[in-house]
Amino acid sequence: GDRIESASFDGTVRVWDVAKGETVMVLRGHTKTVFSVAYSNNGRYIASASREDNSTRIWNAETGDCIHSLQVEYRLQPSISFSPDDKKFIASASFLKFLIWDVETGNLTIESEEDVSGVFSVTFSHDGRLVATGSVDSTIRLWDARTGEPLPHLFIGHTGIVCSVAFSLDDKYIVSGSW
């Protein structure tokens, strides 16, 4: 793409022109540090999350207008993602669960059950059927993306917090990182 977004300690999201290396838009609305940002796959939306003001926002990527400001009772973690069809948006919350919203309406559609292993990172599979979570207890778990129910798969092997998870393009593999 020709744009990059960045999360900022000043509570803003900055959109940059890659070729010029210049800021083309500053998205204001969060009251505290923004820890995570994501572009939708179709490039129409930007999502941002602040764990300090307990909010996530969905922005129009072209105009910079805030479409939805979503307050949650949980402290958001630095992991957000759009579903492959861009109809849903996911965030990890309070090391306990993940939350899925409808992008068009801003309605919370799924609140997963609490995961005692401590959800830190989240992502959708490319076919949109699964959610993978990386956890504080060094495990990776799979969930049904339509219901928020956990699947019996628990992957063990890391020795630290799983801070990133991603599916391969064919959804046959999951890559992960920890610290």
Side-chain angles (χ1 to χ4, degrees):
D2 57 350
R3 291 188 172 184
I4 295 174
E5 80 241 1
S6 62
S8 301
F9 280 107
D10 65 3
T12 65
V13 174
R14 295 186 182 276
V15 180
W16 302 82
D17 180 294
V18 172
K20 296 178 182 175
E22 297 173 354
T23 302
V24 294
M25 196 174 351
V26 179
L27 309 179
R28 291 181 171 83
H30 287 286
T31 59
K32 300 202 176 175
T33 302
V34 178
F35 281 91
S36 190
V37 290
Y39 260 116
S40 62
N41 299 297
N42 63 15
R44 292 179 51 207
Y45 305 106
I46 296 171
S48 59
S50 170
R51 64 182 281 179
E52 293 179 350
D53 73 6
N54 292 344
S55 75
T56 185
R57 294 177 184 267
I58 299 182
W59 311 84
N60 178 308
E62 190 63 34
T63 66
D65 294 333
C66 182
I67 299 168
H68 300 295
S69 177
L70 310 164
Q71 287 296 131
V72 296
E73 62 183 274
Y74 307 101
R75 189 171 187 176
L76 296 170
Q77 299 308 316
S79 184
I80 57 177
S81 180
F82 283 94
S83 62
D85 63 6
D86 293 321
K87 292 181 179 180
K88 306 256 185 239
F89 165 74
I90 189 170
S92 55
S94 291
F95 296 123
L96 293 173
K97 57 181 65 187
F98 61 84
L99 307 169
I100 298 178
W101 290 271
D102 180 282
V103 172
E104 288 296 318
T105 66
N107 293 332
L108 183 65
T109 59
I110 293 177
E111 183 173 335
S112 73
E113 66 181 51
E114 289 192 8
D115 181 358
V116 294
S117 60
V119 175
F120 190 84
S121 55
V122 292
T123 193
F124 284 99
S125 60
H126 294 283
D127 64 11
R129 294 183 314 119
L130 299 174
V131 167
T133 58
S135 299
V136 175
D137 75 348
S138 309
T139 62
I140 297 167
R141 181 179 298 274
L142 294 176
W143 306 75
D144 185 310
R146 290 164 290 184
T147 65
E149 295 295 317
L151 300 179
H153 310 288
L154 184 65
F155 302 95
I156 301 168
H158 284 287
T159 58
I161 295 172
V162 181
C163 54
S164 65
V165 288
F167 284 89
S168 62
L169 288 177
D170 61 6
D171 289 329
K172 290 183 179 179
Y173 303 98
I174 299 171
V175 294
S176 58
S178 70
W179 50 273

